C-alpha cells in the first residue's frame, strides 16, 4: 500500500474469518473479488489468468485448480466442473468441488446486487461454501481455468478442521440449518440436507474418535 496506491490496507478487530471476509467485500471497489487466507500463497499470474478468462467469457465466477501443500509435499487438485451451468456447479460443490472463495474470482456485483449474499458471522467454517451456494442459486455464468494457481497450506497439527468437540457438533448442526433455510425453495433441498448430514457423521467419527 505504501509503494503502490492501487493497494489499500485495512485493520480491524478480530471477529473471525466470516467477519474478515465480509469486511473485505464491503470495502472492495474493483469489478471482481477474491480471497486469500493468511497461511496460503498464490502463483504470481493467478489474478491475471483468472481476470483474462472472466473478460473473455463474461463470467460471473471463474474457478481454477489448486495445490495442497503439507508435510507430504505438494498435491495437485483439479476443480473442473462436469458442466459449467450454475445448477451443476452448485450441486458439485457438495460432491467434490471445494467450496472455497480462494480459488474463485467472483464479480463484485454478485454480492452487492443481492443483499442475501453475505458471509454469516455466526459461522467459523464453511462460510465460504455458504456464500458460493448463495450466489450459484441464481443463473450466473461460470468459467474454468485448467491451471493450479492457488496453494492451500494444510497444517495437520494446528488446523481447526482436524479437531472435534461438542462445539464442533453444535456448529455442524447450525450449519445444516443455515443451508436448509437457504435451499428451502430449491429442488436441491433434500440433496443438500443429506450431503451435510453425511458430512457431520463422517467428520464426527473420523476426527472425534476420542470425543465420541
Amino acid at each position: 500500500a505504501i509503494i503502490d496506491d492501487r493497494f489499500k490496507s485495512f485493520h480491524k478487530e478480530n471477529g473471525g474469518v466470516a467477519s474478515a471476509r465480509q469486511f473485505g467485500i464491503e470495502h472492495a471497489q474493483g469489478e471482481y473479488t477474491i480471497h486469500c487466507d493468511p497461511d496460503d500463497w498464490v502463483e504470481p499470474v493467478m489474478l491475471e489468468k483468472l481476470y483474462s478468462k472472466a473478460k473473455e467469457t463474461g463470467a460471473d465466477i471463474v474457478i481454477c485448480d489448486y495445490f495442497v501443500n503439507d508435510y507430504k509435499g505438494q498435491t495437485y487438485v483439479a476443480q473442473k466442473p462436469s458442466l459449467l451451468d450454475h445448477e451443476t456447479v452448485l450441486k458439485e460443490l457438495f460432491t467434490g468441488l471445494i467450496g472455497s472463495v480462494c480459488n474463485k474470482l467472483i464479480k463484485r456485483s454478485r454480492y452487492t446486487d443481492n443483499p442475501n449474499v453475505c458471509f454469516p458471522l455466526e459461522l467459523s467454517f464453511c462460510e465460504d461454501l455458504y456464500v458460493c451456494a448463495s450466489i450459484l442459486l441464481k443463473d450466473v455464468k461460470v468459467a474454468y481455468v485448467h491451471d493450479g494457481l492457488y496453494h492451500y497450506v494444510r497444517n495437520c497439527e494446528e488446523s481447526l478442521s482436524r479437531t472435534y468437540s461438542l462445539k464442533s457438533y453444535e456448529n455442524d448442526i447450525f450449519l445444516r440449518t443455515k443451508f436448509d433455510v437457504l435451499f428451502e425453495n430449491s429442488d436441491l433441498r433434500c440433496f443438500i440436507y443429506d450431503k451435510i448430514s453425511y458430512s457431520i457423521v463422517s467428520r464426527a467419527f473420523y476426527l472425534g474418535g476420542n470425543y465420541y
Side-chain angles (χ1 to χ4, degrees):
I2 293 174
I3 64 174
D4 189 333
D5 62 11
R6 293 176 299 174
F7 289 83
K8 292 180 174 60
S9 177
F10 297 93
H11 302 269
K12 67 182 290 295
E13 183 178 352
N14 185 5
V17 63
S19 173
R21 295 199 194 284
Q22 187 62 34
F23 184 92
I25 292 299
E26 291 171 358
H27 288 78
Q29 297 178 345
E31 183 183 4
Y32 287 87
T33 67
I34 198 164
H35 299 254
C36 181
D37 289 344
D39 48 353
D40 299 338
W41 56 284
V42 307
E43 293 293 326
V45 295
M46 180 177 183
L47 294 182
E48 179 183 356
K49 287 191 173 185
L50 294 179
Y51 183 69
S52 294
K53 176 63 73 171
K55 300 308 289 184
E56 172 192 332
T57 61
D60 297 290
I61 302 175
V62 184
I63 302 171
C64 70
D65 302 334
Y66 67 95
F67 292 94
V68 173
N69 294 85
D70 58 20
Y71 69 96
K72 296 179 181 178
Q74 181 168 277
T75 304
Y76 190 95
V77 183
Q79 289 290 284
K80 183 179 182 180
S82 59
L83 295 171
L84 289 176
D85 66 281
H86 73 104
E87 291 182 342
T88 298
V89 177
L90 173 57
K91 189 172 182 178
E92 292 183 354
L93 284 180
F94 296 87
T95 59
L97 296 182
I98 191 172
S100 173
V101 287
C102 296
N103 74 322
K104 298 174 182 68
L105 190 73
I106 300 177
K107 188 172 286 188
R108 186 165 64 94
S109 59
R110 296 306 97 200
Y111 293 94
T112 57
D113 291 351
N114 186 348
N116 294 321
V117 176
C118 61
F119 293 94
L121 302 185
E122 318 95 310
L123 297 180
S124 58
F125 72 106
C126 286
E127 78 294 331
D128 44 3
L129 172 60
Y130 184 87
V131 161
C132 288
S134 300
I135 293 172
L136 287 162
L137 274 171
K138 303 291 185 180
D139 186 10
V140 296
K141 187 169 185 178
V142 182
Y144 166 71
V145 172
H146 178 40
D147 200 352
L149 300 172
Y150 191 85
H151 291 259
Y152 167 57
V153 179
R154 181 166 59 195
N155 187 325
C156 293
E157 296 299 322
E158 298 176 2
S159 174
L160 292 175
S161 64
R162 309 298 293 180
T163 61
Y164 206 86
S165 65
L166 176 60
K167 182 64 175 177
S168 304
Y169 174 73
E170 292 171 345
N171 287 341
D172 278 347
I173 297 300
F174 177 76
L175 178 69
R176 185 176 66 177
T177 302
K178 289 286 291 185
F179 274 103
D180 195 44
V181 173
L182 179 65
F183 283 90
E184 62 181 347
N185 297 317
S186 169
D187 293 339
L188 292 175
R189 182 179 186 180
C190 291
F191 172 82
I192 301 301
Y193 188 91
D194 288 347
K195 287 296 180 183
I196 295 179
S197 296
Y198 176 83
S199 176
I200 291 173
V201 175
S202 177
R203 271 178 20 93
F205 284 90
Y206 178 64
L207 300 176
N210 292 333
Y211 173 74
Y212 275 90

